[in-house]
Amino acid sequence: MRSRHLFSILFLGIVTLISASANSATVTRILYQFPNLTSLENIAVRSNGHLLLTPVTSSSLYSLDPSSPKVANLVHTFPNATSLLGITEYEPDVFALVSGADPEDPSIPWVIWSVDLKGYLEGSKNPLVRKIATLPKALFLNGLTHLAPGSPWILAADSQLGLIWRINVNTGAVNVAISDPLMAPVTEFGIALGVNGIHIFQSHLFFTNIFLKGGFFAKIPIDPRTGTALGKATMVARNGLCDDFAIDSKGNAWVTQNLLNGVQVIKPDGSVRVPIGGVNDTILEGATGAVFGRTLKDKNVLYVSTNGGSAVPVPGTFRVGGTVVAVDTNLL
Ligand SMILES: *[C@@H]1O[C@H](CO)[C@@H](O)[C@H](O)[C@H]1NC(C)=O
Ligand SMILES: *[C@@H]1O[C@H](CO)[C@@H](O)[C@H](O)[C@H]1NC(C)=O
Ligand SMILES: *[C@@H]1O[C@H](CO)[C@@H](O)[C@H](O)[C@H]1NC(C)=O
């Protein structure tokens, strides 16, 4: 009885997997799948086109060449941390990222690191890694973004305090840049979370709030020199549960839905559609982060990181390892 039940669960999972990839074989490609229990949180892209991947299940940063995605290359393992989260480029080929723990473990501090990949050769030469700052007052650092080209400031969303820290990459100075009622956390599924993904477009900080008012996408005007707010945040769309996002050149936001297993497109007018994935689809199971390619060949390809359904698997299927999926947005 038990084994028959298990078999039908596995079988259902395989059928879902096959039908999902058959429906969208030309649009989506699975580039790489990490082992079971690896949960990817965020994704960035280097100027050479290689992807950088942060897992919440370890403190090891990986890179992946999307033109030859046979192996994920271990870039660096950070000390004193159990998870990596937001990652952003702040100088050509120099990235900042967040390391930390889950909020229940206060013994592990939240740290912003610099990873200099200039001249870095995968597998042979080590990257230059240094600590930018420790944030003892932070509760849950999540999304990270660079303020403006040439600026020393990066912004970090604190999902549990419901505010934005700013960190100077040269001096390590840390203070609160923005605090707005639309960034506030509420508790769902046993965890308090508010402001989550953050990215800047046309002098506005765009952000998701995963749970407040059912989940929404919002923007706030900011001073590009300091990162402080020049007004109140306003909602762009009430798009439900959502995680991180990438903004294309036309100002459309491509928003990952994490628990809802899809990617939404939110136009600047606030209209929302889900062109890929969906609650019962395994192709973007547990989608967490998204970034557009940077080379001529892949500038219309959206690379999506997933947690493999580690929070909630697609109904009738099982959890898989965190996956990197290439979505050809020209075909959507
Ligand atoms: C690890 O964190 C503890 C507590 O913040 C600190 O005292 C220690 O120096 C850290 N170790 C490393 C290697 O960063
Ligand atoms: C997802 O599948 C469940 C059954 O497993 C069904 O009740 C639900 O309507 C489906 N949702 C969508 C959006 O297709
Ligand atoms: C991954 O875990 C699921 C159970 O959650 C299991 O059914 C599956 O066989 C595992 N896959 C591998 C490759 O270990």
Side-chain angles (χ1 to χ4, degrees):
M1 225 14 225
R2 259 190 85 214
S3 64
R4 183 181 296 178
H5 181 61
L6 184 65
F7 178 78
S8 65
I9 289 175
L10 288 176
F11 184 69
L12 236 172
I14 289 161
V15 168
T16 314
L17 206 67
I18 289 169
S19 62
S21 45
N23 286 342
S24 43
T26 50
V27 179
T28 56
R29 268 179 309 132
I30 291 179
L31 293 186
Y32 191 80
Q33 190 161 62
F34 281 82
N36 263 3
L37 305 179
T38 300
S39 176
L40 298 178
E41 170 65 14
N42 223 313
I43 184 165
V45 61
R46 296 179 62 195
S47 47
N48 70 1
H50 293 195
L51 305 172
L52 295 172
L53 302 160
T54 59
V56 281
T57 40
S58 80
S59 65
S60 292
L61 174 68
Y62 290 91
S63 71
L64 183 73
D65 177 359
S67 67
S68 174
K70 284 176 202 72
V71 285
N73 162 70
L74 173 63
V75 178
H76 187 76
T77 299
F78 295 83
N80 247 2
T82 58
S83 63
L84 303 181
L85 292 97
I87 179 165
T88 190
E89 187 179 38
Y90 70 88
E91 273 169 24
D93 229 7
V94 187
F95 291 79
L97 61 79
V98 171
S99 80
D102 61 74
E104 274 95 61
D105 189 351
S107 70
I108 295 181
W110 292 98
V111 176
I112 307 283
W113 300 89
S114 168
V115 184
D116 184 342
L117 297 175
K118 293 194 300 283
Y120 166 66
L121 288 177
E122 273 143 9
S124 57
K125 194 164 173 282
N126 288 333
L128 255 141
V129 174
R130 74 178 168 91
K131 192 184 278 189
I132 294 175
T134 300
L135 279 73
K137 291 190 178 134
L139 287 188
F140 191 168
L141 295 187
N142 198 328
L144 203 63
T145 199
H146 182 218
L147 184 54
S151 170
W153 295 106
I154 51 172
L155 303 179
D158 191 319
S159 292
Q160 291 207 330
L161 287 176
L163 53 75
I164 308 291
W165 297 98
R166 64 172 196 168
I167 301 103
N168 186 305
V169 294
N170 299 326
T171 66
V174 177
N175 44 54
V176 173
I178 305 172
S179 177
D180 187 280
L182 288 188
M183 295 178 171
V186 292
T187 301
E188 295 276 353
F189 305 103
I191 183 167
L193 290 174
V195 60
N196 191 324
I198 53 171
H199 296 281
I200 292 167
F201 186 73
Q202 293 180 342
S203 299
H204 284 74
L205 182 79
F206 285 79
F207 62 94
T208 50
N209 190 321
I210 183 168
F211 296 146
L212 186 67
K213 300 175 197 284
F216 58 82
F217 184 58
K219 62 176 180 179
I220 184 165
I222 56 163
D223 182 334
R225 288 159 307 166
T226 61
T228 52
L230 297 175
K232 290 237 150 270
T234 51
M235 277 191 207
V236 177
R238 291 184 86 144
N239 55 321
L241 272 175
C242 51
D243 197 336
D244 211 324
F245 59 95
I247 299 185
D248 68 21
S249 55
K250 295 182 191 120
N252 303 308
W254 296 72
V255 185
T256 59
Q257 291 186 289
N258 200 323
L259 301 169
L260 300 178
N261 309 315
V263 167
Q264 303 169 317
V265 180
I266 303 181
K267 287 195 178 162
D269 69 7
S271 66
V272 183
R273 67 190 178 105
V274 182
I276 187 78
V279 69
N280 289 339
D281 196 336
T282 51
I283 189 66
L284 293 174
E285 183 167 15
T288 51
V291 71
F292 278 96
R294 285 174 71 175
T295 70
L296 271 182
K297 241 178 71 184
D298 69 354
K299 63 181 177 3
N300 294 311
V301 175
L302 185 73
Y303 295 104
V304 179
S305 57
T306 83
N307 62 29
S310 64
V312 181
V314 168
T317 72
F318 44 85
R319 295 177 170 87
V320 295
T323 303
V324 183
V325 183
V327 179
D328 187 343
T329 63
N330 281 333
L331 302 176
L332 293 177

